[in-house]
Amino acid sequence: MMDKFRMIFQFLQSNQESFMNGICGIMALASAQMYSAFDFNCPCLPGYNAAYSAGILLAPPLVLFLLGLVMNNNVSMLAEEWKRPPGRRAKDPAVLRYMFCSMAQRALIAPVVWVAVTLLDGKCFLCAFCTAVPVSALGNGSLAPGLPAPELARLLARVPCPEIYDGDWLLAREVAVRYLRCISQALGWSFVLLTTLLAFVVRSVRPCFTQAAFLKSKYWSHYIDIERKLFDETCTEHAKAFAKVCIQQFFEAMNHDLELGHTHGTLATAPASAAAPTTPDGAEEEREKLRGITDQGTMNRLLTSWHKCKPPLRLGQEEPPLMGNGWAGGGPRPPRKEVATYFSKV
Amino acid sequence: MDKFRMLFQHFQSSSESVMNGICLLLAAVTVKLYSSFDFNCPCLVHYNALYGLGLLLTPPLALFLCGLLANRQSVVMVEEWRRPAGHRRKDAGIIRYMCSSVLQRALAAPLVWILLALLDGKCFVCAFSSSVDPEKFLDFANMTPSQVQLFLAKVPCKEDELVRDSPARKAVSRYLRCLSQAIGWSVTLLLIIAAFLARCLRPCFDQTVFLQRRYWSNYVDLEQKLFDETCCEHARDFAHRCVLHFFASMQSELQARGLRRDNAGRRLELPAVPEPPAVPEPPEGLDSGSGKAHLRAISSREQVDRLLSTWYSSKPPLDLAASPGLCGGGLSHRAPTLALGTRLSQHTDV
């Protein structure tokens, strides 16, 4: 059982999309749970009912949608990919569109759940439309015209609040509540049906159009995601190796200084005995991990080039030096051949 | 148990994950704390506002400070801010980056408390029941102002005899709760819009500087952790050697005592100080030392103290190509107690 759990965990972590699917599911459940934990509190005052209900129907879905986008790392990835200078790698708008659609679709699930649950429950709808109930059809229609409009509104606004409702002589509260809840549930189910139908149509019909372009966009979108993650991991590894070697050198330098002090300035013997005569294996490994980048300036230039001109999507070719003269100014050579392989119009 | 170990390992994998984990934990603790706290409005004219607002604002402050305390990176940031420049230039941008990262994580739990309190409504009702405008509610028409004030102050207490089963109380309470929830949702919406904009728009400004700052602040964090680990290793090594030397010297002392007794036939005074531990002769049984020669060289209390104070007062430059002996040369002239520090004139600055 633990193995299964581990497998699921690894699968979800395997790429950003799977991870977001997991997050999406959790947020949908959290949305339903939040609704049931939330204490709906209709103000039962004529002007405020509609405002409160509209707020409860619309603000939490917006919050959930934005939360779904914020939690998705692809948002900053999308923004980066959009704003980066083209460098040696052309930008493909189709990939950007794919990323955006995929993010938006996932982020829409939790708000849809909230709206559906709200409508099916009925309290929100009841609060919003209690003043619009047709009194003549449901209650004592003969008494209604005698009342001034504000008084009628005040009376009807209290329908959602059983403990302060005082209009039984005009309209039985139960009748109004039942009527409005029934409409609300009908709307709720229609909404659920509509969204499911829409999702189904989009999913089934899409392969009929632009399937080849879709596959390409999906591949390159995953690629960008994985590349970014690997770059971050490599940077962390490099930082670790850098720190290890730096600290080791610090200890060695300290020892060297002490040796110098002890041997009263005989520099000849000091360097030989200071550090270990043969560099230990562990240190060699660490130095290799540094890949030749051993000072702050070089590292900064590496990070700048990563953003300003990403390497071309072509492996196994003689790469001109990234930070050499050929690259000054960042002016892009027209990547003719590269465009043909990377971006094709379908 | 495996599940927990796996989750734990996942969170340990990078210090950012650790901090996110702590942040979530603190948020969960906040939710539990709020739900188990027994809210108890005093229902007296001047004390309501004090209690309500105090409960709305004091626990978040405490949680914020807890969030700062629980985050290792806040200490690292303060150290980086206050250290002398030494051989390594200080970059204000890195300190700002670390500061903003620490603050964002520390603000999560207090915001959870404030939002829960607003969405629940009890704090708000308690604090603002006396400030409600009685004109809105028709039930107050036949009461004198002082009676109205007294009544309003008792609104948060359902069981009080003055207001029990009163529709006016329910109306006021409902109105205030609805206002509180509206404010809560608005604040949530604003915060989430701000977070979304910040996330989206960040790549539009200075992405390269951001990448550099992120790398170097991560580096500072890692370096501190690795230095602590190296010092622990060194302390362990030092202790091991010290103990072994002690046993060896005790053994040789006993042997010497036995020899002298044999020779002279009577007990002699022994030297008060055991023979000094022979540094060039590491006892058997220590690690073969292929990776640890640089640790074994530091072998006395004064040397360790000097090493630690040098680490603070002048961190080594971020340039590994420089050879260890001539590393800036500053190490020798910064250590005042060194007997004959050879003044090397080279002084590299990064």
Side-chain angles (χ1 to χ4, degrees), chain A residues 1-2 5-7 9 13 34 38-45 48 52 55-56 59-60 62-63 66-67 69-77 79-80 82-83 114 151 154 158 160-164 228 231-232 234-236 238-262 264-267 274-282 287 290 293-297 299-301 303-308, chain B residues 1-3 6-7 10 13-14 88-89 91 94 119-120 136-139 166-168 170-171 173-179 181-182 185 188-189 192-193 195-197 199-204 207-208 210-216 218-219 222-224 226-228 230-231 234 289-295 297-298 303 306-308 310-312 314-327 329-333 338-342 344 350:
Chain A
M1 216 283 273
M2 284 306 143
F5 188 81
R6 195 175 304 147
M7 222 171 58
F9 199 67
Q13 282 277 309
M34 220 165 67
F38 177 68
D39 192 10
F40 189 86
N41 191 44
C42 195
C44 293
L45 293 168
Y48 294 80
Y52 183 81
I56 295 296
L62 194 57
V63 165
L66 290 175
L67 194 63
L69 286 181
V70 163
M71 288 183 63
N72 194 344
N73 285 334
N74 280 3
V75 160
S76 47
M77 200 174 82
E80 269 176 43
W82 185 34
K83 292 305 290 180
W114 176 278
E151 183 58 28
R154 194 194 63 80
R158 290 187 171 192
C161 307
E163 63 268 12
I164 57 178
R228 192 173 88 137
F231 182 75
D232 287 340
T234 311
C235 278
T236 307
H238 183 272
K240 248 189 226 165
F242 200 111
K244 269 197 193 140
V245 175
C246 199
I247 290 173
Q248 195 170 0
Q249 281 183 350
F250 177 75
F251 272 79
E252 282 168 7
M254 181 55 90
N255 175 44
H256 179 70
D257 272 8
L258 293 167
E259 294 266 336
L260 280 181
H262 285 154
H264 296 264
T266 46
L267 282 167
T278 53
T279 350
D281 292 334
R287 278 181 186 275
L290 290 174
I293 308 209
T294 52
D295 71 285
Q296 190 177 24
M299 188 67 207
N300 283 344
R301 265 181 304 177
L303 292 170
T304 307
S305 324
W306 180 255
H307 174 68
K308 288 223 161 92
Chain B
M1 269 310 124
D2 268 347
K3 221 191 291 190
M6 215 176 60
L7 273 173
H10 165 70
S13 62
S14 86
R88 193 187 285 182
R89 219 170 7 113
D91 186 357
I94 293 178
L119 291 177
D120 188 30
K136 281 204 178 69
F137 307 91
L138 296 176
D139 319 81
S166 157
K170 290 177 188 146
S173 167
R174 203 170 264 277
Y175 167 74
L176 284 171
R177 281 193 77 190
C178 141
L179 202 59
Q181 286 176 348
W185 279 118
T188 315
L189 194 59
I192 206 91
I193 289 180
F196 176 71
L197 285 176
R199 206 148 189 195
C200 273
L201 295 181
R202 204 233 316 119
C204 300
Q207 178 69 356
T208 53
F210 171 76
L211 284 174
Q212 288 169 12
R213 284 182 188 161
R214 193 171 67 160
Y215 178 87
W216 289 114
N218 196 24
Y219 173 81
L222 278 170
E223 192 189 49
Q224 186 60 28
L226 279 170
F227 185 75
D228 288 340
T230 312
C231 282
H234 181 270
S290 60
K292 306 250 171 78
H294 60 284
L295 290 180
I298 314 288
Q303 291 172 356
R306 196 180 311 148
L307 180 136
L308 293 172
T310 312
W311 179 256
Y312 173 72
S314 72
K315 282 208 165 49
L318 291 166
D319 186 345
L320 304 175
S323 58
L326 302 172
C327 181
L331 283 170
S332 46
H333 72 251
L338 191 58
L340 278 178
T342 313
L344 299 172
V350 179

Side-chain angles (χ1 to χ4, degrees), chain A residues 303-321:
Chain A
L303 292 170
T304 307
S305 324
W306 180 255
H307 174 68
K308 288 223 161 92
C309 65
K310 282 211 170 35
L313 291 166
R314 176 167 303 180
L315 305 172
Q317 208 186 25
E318 260 304 306
E319 302 265 338

